Amino acid sequence: MPTVSIITAAYAPSAEFLPETIASVAAQKMPAGWDIEWVVQEDGAEPFLAEMFAGVSNVSYAANGRQLGIAGTRNLALERASGGLLRVLDSDDLLLPNALESLIPHFLGGSTQWAVGQADDLMTDGSRVSWDPLIPTGPVPAGAVNNYAIEHGGNWPIHCAGLMLRTDMVRALGGWAGTPNDEDIILFSALSEICDGYNDPSVTWLYRQHAGQVTRTASWRAQSAVGRHIALQRVNAVRTLGLISTGTPPVDVAGGERLRVDQPVKDHDSTEYL
């Protein structure tokens, strides 16, 4: 039976919303003949979350036994994934019941290597805020999302926390980058440069907004400029070396000019949403 592996890097001090995440996975509707495998990898020197997954169907749980960070934790989960497709799921976000069912058909035939559904922001009062897609929905040719990022100061139009990907392609590109943050964007920048994707118009998941988000901290935002610059460097390297022809030239960085990276817009700064 074809399988989708959901990959979650969990961390006990940040597991406040995990019960809701577990319930959202249990509510998934799957196409006939498809199965779910949920690969949970707990980070930290003192594992604490195993009991939360006791009795949960189709869960494969393991603990690092030491602090590795999100990239290393996701890569250890990737080693245990058996599905031909994988879906990233952060431990504080929620899948809507159609999350997997909506995206799987895009991988059946054709050249699609990644797909993403739209997300509503989930506020602390339980309300939802929707956002228009930043790029047109439908097929996305290789290189298109990176052209957007180059033009918009290293801000990508696809939210990596909502991606479904072919597992073999993620492995071929080395998994998530071993950086303190933006490990997902760095992976996606390379993958989307050489592979076609699909931007599905359906709202398939909820991106939880809360004060405890790591992406809201000053230290994360300071490091994000470096992470997103690494992602742009990867795109430029693929184009410079001619690893695949997408009709898009490399960025001119003669004389060691730094690629432009603006402030991140991944999360909304306004406290009115919290």
Side-chain angles (χ1 to χ4, degrees):
M1 182 178 294
T3 299
V4 177
S5 296
I6 300 173
I7 287 186
T8 297
Y11 183 50
S14 305
E16 174 185 357
F17 304 106
L18 190 51
E20 295 176 59
T21 304
I22 292 173
S24 78
V25 173
Q28 286 305 292
K29 301 175 182 177
M30 297 295 288
W34 281 80
D35 200 5
I36 295 176
E37 169 192 63
W38 191 6
V39 185
V40 178
Q41 190 79 25
E42 182 177 355
D43 197 13
E46 299 181 359
F48 183 76
L49 301 176
E51 291 186 2
M52 294 188 68
F53 294 96
V56 179
S57 300
N58 301 323
V59 168
S60 172
Y61 167 89
N64 295 346
R66 58 189 176 119
Q67 190 79 44
L68 296 178
I70 190 168
T73 302
R74 279 181 176 164
N75 284 328
L76 288 179
L78 177 63
E79 186 272 335
R80 297 188 294 112
S82 65
L85 300 176
L86 66 82
R87 171 56 161 89
V88 180
L89 177 62
D90 289 344
S91 62
D92 54 353
D93 293 337
L94 301 178
L95 298 180
L96 295 177
N98 66 327
L100 306 181
E101 183 182 48
S102 296
L103 300 186
I104 287 173
H106 302 310
F107 294 89
L108 305 180
S111 60
T112 299
Q113 298 290 322
W114 62 269
V116 68
Q118 309 308 306
D120 284 352
D121 283 354
L122 178 62
M123 305 304 155
T124 54
D125 63 359
S127 63
R128 289 163 53 172
V129 176
S130 61
W131 304 91
D132 293 331
L134 294 177
I135 60 172
T137 57
V140 183
V145 294
N146 294 321
N147 289 339
Y148 180 100
I150 291 168
E151 295 167 1
H152 292 81
N155 282 289
W156 270 259
I158 297 296
H159 202 313
C160 292
L163 283 169
M164 181 179 285
L165 309 146
R166 290 196 190 272
T167 307
D168 282 346
M169 184 58 68
V170 174
R171 287 179 171 141
L173 293 175
W176 286 270
T179 50
N181 54 297
D182 289 312
E183 72 295 325
D184 49 0
I185 291 176
I186 297 171
L187 166 63
F188 181 61
S189 68
L191 191 151
S192 62
E193 182 62 26
I194 64 176
C195 299
D196 297 332
Y198 199 95
N199 188 25
D200 193 291
S202 304
V203 177
T204 61
W205 62 290
L206 302 182
Y207 180 47
R208 189 185 298 274
Q209 301 288 318
H210 59 97
Q213 286 175 291
V214 174
T215 51
R216 292 185 178 277
T217 64
S219 61
W220 186 95
R221 289 180 175 270
Q223 290 180 329
S224 179
V226 175
R228 290 179 294 121
H229 192 254
I230 292 172
L232 291 175
Q233 287 177 321
R234 285 201 171 187
V235 173
N236 212 40
V238 171
R239 295 181 180 184
T240 299
L241 294 173
L243 298 181
I244 188 169
S245 177
T246 61
T248 51
V251 180
D252 184 5
V253 288
E257 179 185 350
R258 186 175 176 88
L259 299 168
R260 181 170 68 91
V261 177
D262 295 337
Q263 289 295 316
V265 294
K266 182 176 180 180
D267 294 304
H268 306 291
D269 289 320
S270 178
T271 56
E272 68 181 280
Y273 293 117
L274 300 175

